[in-house]
């Protein structure tokens, strides 16, 4: 079971709200099964209301900051402005990292859910929020 720090969870929810009507995106760093920090990134997708593409230079900088904090890159996050917190066909097609946890927040239902996406197969991942 994974644990997600409450501060990171709140930042993810706020980032989704701030980016409406577009999708937001970011990555999560932590140690073992504890997701400690959220690193927000700019969504550079051509149609940001329907998909996400993290700004590459921000992604590299976030990973550098993570390493300085001795964290591993454990998760990737994006929001769905008006659909369920479940991977879309595009999300599955673009899921290149089987080891990462994919967090999806629905601004419609306010649910934050987590998944592994491996070779097109979506598996829900359980987590709980900790202080
Ligand atoms: Zn999506």
């Amino acid at each position: 079971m994974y644990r997600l720090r409450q501060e990171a969870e709140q930042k993810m929810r706020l980032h989704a709200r701030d980016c409406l009507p577009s999708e937001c995106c970011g990555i999560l760093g932590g140690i073992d099964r504890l997701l400690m920090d959220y690193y927000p990134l700019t969504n550079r997708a051509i149609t940001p209301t329907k998909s996400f593409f993290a700004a590459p230079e921000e992604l590299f900088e976030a990973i550098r900051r993570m390493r300085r904090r001795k964290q591993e890159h454990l998760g990737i996050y994006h929001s769905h402005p008006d659909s369920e917190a479940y991977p879309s066909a595009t999300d599955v097609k673009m899921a290149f990292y089987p080891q990462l946890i994919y967090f999806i927040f629905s601004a419609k239902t306010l649910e934050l859910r987590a998944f592994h996406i491996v070779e097109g197969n979506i598996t829900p991942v359980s987590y709980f929020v900790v202080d």
Side-chain angles (χ1 to χ4, degrees):
M1 184 85 93
Y2 286 90
R3 290 171 297 150
L4 171 63
R5 272 183 59 213
Q6 188 174 38
E7 188 191 341
E9 193 228 15
Q10 282 168 352
K11 283 184 180 168
M12 290 157 82
R13 289 177 182 271
L14 290 173
H15 194 211
R17 193 189 66 187
D18 290 346
C19 291
L20 285 172
S22 293
E23 297 191 4
C24 75
C25 62
I27 56 175
L28 288 137
I31 295 166
D32 295 329
R33 292 189 162 223
L34 173 61
L35 298 129
M36 299 165 77
D37 288 308
Y38 175 56
Y39 299 76
L41 303 170
T42 303
N43 182 357
R44 292 264 175 80
I46 293 164
T47 316
T49 52
K50 300 236 180 302
S51 62
F52 73 99
F53 177 77
E57 70 282 7
E58 292 181 15
L59 179 61
F60 297 138
E61 176 54 28
I63 287 172
R64 273 196 292 270
R65 281 168 52 210
M66 225 176 244
R67 291 200 179 131
R68 280 199 293 269
R69 293 170 169 174
K70 311 277 185 232
Q71 295 178 359
E72 303 160 62
H73 180 195
L74 296 179
I76 184 163
Y77 166 68
H78 74 288
S79 62
H80 285 172
D82 54 15
S83 60
E84 303 297 310
Y86 193 80
S88 69
T90 306
D91 293 337
V92 172
K93 199 170 72 184
M94 302 300 285
F96 301 123
Y97 307 100
Q99 75 281 15
L100 294 184
I101 306 170
Y102 287 79
F103 280 89
I104 302 178
F105 175 72
S106 167
K108 190 170 100 175
T109 66
L110 306 182
E111 272 188 301
L112 176 66
R113 298 177 68 198
F115 305 90
H116 279 301
I117 307 175
V118 182
E119 292 175 3
N121 296 306
I122 301 165
T123 313
V125 170
S126 300
Y127 71 90
F128 59 95
V129 176
V130 293
D131 283 340

